[in-house]
Amino acid sequence: GQVFVTAQALAAAQAAISAAFLLLATETDIGGVVYWSSIVDALDQRSAGVREVFVTTPALNTDTDLPANTIPLFDLSGVSYVLV
């Protein structure tokens, strides 16, 4: 996905997004569902300076059912930050 943010807010946005995904991981039940809207919410940290987000993975409005006994592991290395 892409996160649009000002240069001045980049560090704060990255920290807020990391914290939001950590919280999402801890709040998701083992073997539960990761909702697409929760991913958007975790990226859309407006209070930290995020202006806009585009989520490409998972596909639009696609929820992810976790296998039994599985926890979500979010890899944020694919998030690109676009300075506006």
Side-chain angles (χ1 to χ4, degrees):
Q2 293 180 308
V3 175
F4 294 81
V5 62
T6 64
Q8 298 87 346
L10 179 60
Q14 289 172 321
I17 289 169
S18 292
F21 274 98
L22 180 60
L23 182 61
L24 178 57
T26 61
E27 291 179 341
T28 301
D29 292 332
I30 296 171
V33 178
V34 178
Y35 296 99
W36 186 84
S37 60
S38 297
I39 292 171
V40 173
D41 289 344
L43 288 169
D44 196 11
Q45 298 298 313
R46 301 231 176 224
S47 63
V50 171
R51 300 285 177 91
E52 186 66 64
V53 298
F54 291 109
V55 177
T56 54
T57 304
L60 181 65
N61 293 323
T62 302
D63 299 330
T64 302
D65 294 312
L66 298 174
N69 301 319
T70 303
I71 61 169
L73 298 174
F74 298 106
D75 178 5
L76 300 181
S77 65
V79 175
S80 63
Y81 294 89
V82 179
L83 301 180
V84 293

